[in-house]
Amino acid sequence: MGKVAVLTNDLQYDLVNKNEERIRAIEEATPSFSRFLNEIRRRGHHVLHLQLVNLPDDPIAERYEGRLPAQRGTQGVEILPVFLDESDILVEKNKDSGFFETDLHERLQSLGVDTVIVTGMQGQICVQTTAADAFFRGYNVWVPSDCVVSARDKDRIRALDWLDGYCATVAESDEILRTLDVEGGLPRKVFVTP
């Protein structure tokens, strides 16, 4: 089995602090999420943070009451410190998927990664599109259910169900760590179309 890397999505000040629902969801997920990232690092695997940077001329970038969030050079674009370590790698993205018009695939290839664990916010948007794009590129995709956040839990559950049926193995973070320890890697799920 090859190398494993965790990809986080949008764990940034402006994106988390958009509303009370997101703040609460991140607060609830933070203990297990940050512990999982620390355990992944301790085992020698990479953590890559997919950092959304909204471009001022992007006509479809979401505005918050007329303000463009997560702009380059602002605190709002920064990753929350509780999820960040000096060994982590930042990858700028300008759209929902971490693979869309970025060098993420090339970086993962240079690290020898063949398995990605996709995490972050929002489950039904950035996590789902990044996981699908990873699958399309031939990566073995895993998703820790307790490290995926959505403002509405029904959106998170719907996204996890879709991911598990289409392109990823969905499991709790503790199960992923146990599998890594026992098997030395994460087995690839075989998807069968009914």
Side-chain angles (χ1 to χ4, degrees):
M1 292 188 204
K3 290 189 179 179
V4 173
V6 172
L7 308 178
T8 77
N9 282 275
D10 302 355
L11 301 176
Q12 300 163 246
Y13 283 102
D14 272 353
L15 306 178
V16 169
N17 293 321
K18 176 184 178 183
N19 56 45
E20 287 302 317
E21 292 82 9
R22 286 188 183 188
I23 292 169
R24 186 182 67 251
I26 286 289
E27 284 175 352
E28 289 173 5
T30 294
S32 62
F33 199 161
S34 60
R35 184 184 59 73
F36 177 67
L37 293 176
N38 287 331
E39 288 298 318
I40 286 291
R41 293 179 192 111
R42 190 176 69 75
R43 287 165 172 77
H45 302 294
H46 298 285
V47 174
L48 292 86
H49 298 283
L50 307 177
Q51 182 182 36
L52 179 66
V53 177
N54 283 317
L55 303 176
D57 62 348
D58 185 345
I60 64 168
E62 182 182 12
R63 266 87 176 156
Y64 300 172
E65 298 176 3
R67 179 182 73 84
L68 184 64
Q71 292 187 62
R72 186 177 285 110
T74 67
Q75 182 190 25
V77 79
E78 295 176 13
I79 305 293
L80 296 174
V82 69
F83 299 110
L84 193 59
D85 184 81
E86 62 184 24
S87 66
D88 296 349
I89 300 166
L90 296 180
V91 178
E92 180 181 314
K93 64 177 186 166
N94 305 121
K95 299 293 182 192
D96 298 331
S97 171
F99 287 95
F100 183 78
E101 296 182 354
T102 72
D103 65 350
L104 176 59
H105 178 64
E106 290 76 16
R107 288 186 187 214
L108 292 171
Q109 292 299 289
S110 72
L111 296 170
V113 170
D114 69 358
T115 298
V116 293
I117 302 171
V118 185
T119 69
M121 189 182 77
Q122 298 242 63
Q124 76 281 12
I125 304 171
C126 297
V127 172
Q128 196 167 324
T129 58
T130 298
D133 275 353
F135 177 71
F136 298 153
R137 286 166 175 79
Y139 291 95
N140 176 21
V141 182
W142 282 64
V143 176
S145 57
D146 52 332
C147 300
V148 171
V149 177
S150 294
R152 296 181 302 212
D153 202 46
K154 67 179 184 177
D155 291 334
R156 185 182 75 84
I157 292 167
R158 187 179 72 242
L160 293 172
D161 286 345
W162 183 87
L163 289 161
D164 194 46
Y166 180 67
C167 66
T169 302
V170 176
E172 290 195 7
S173 60
D174 285 344
E175 182 182 340
I176 293 173
L177 293 171
R178 275 193 303 275
T179 304
L180 278 170
D181 291 344
V182 170
E183 299 194 25
L186 296 172
R188 184 179 292 266
K189 183 175 184 177
V190 177
F191 294 92
V192 179
T193 307

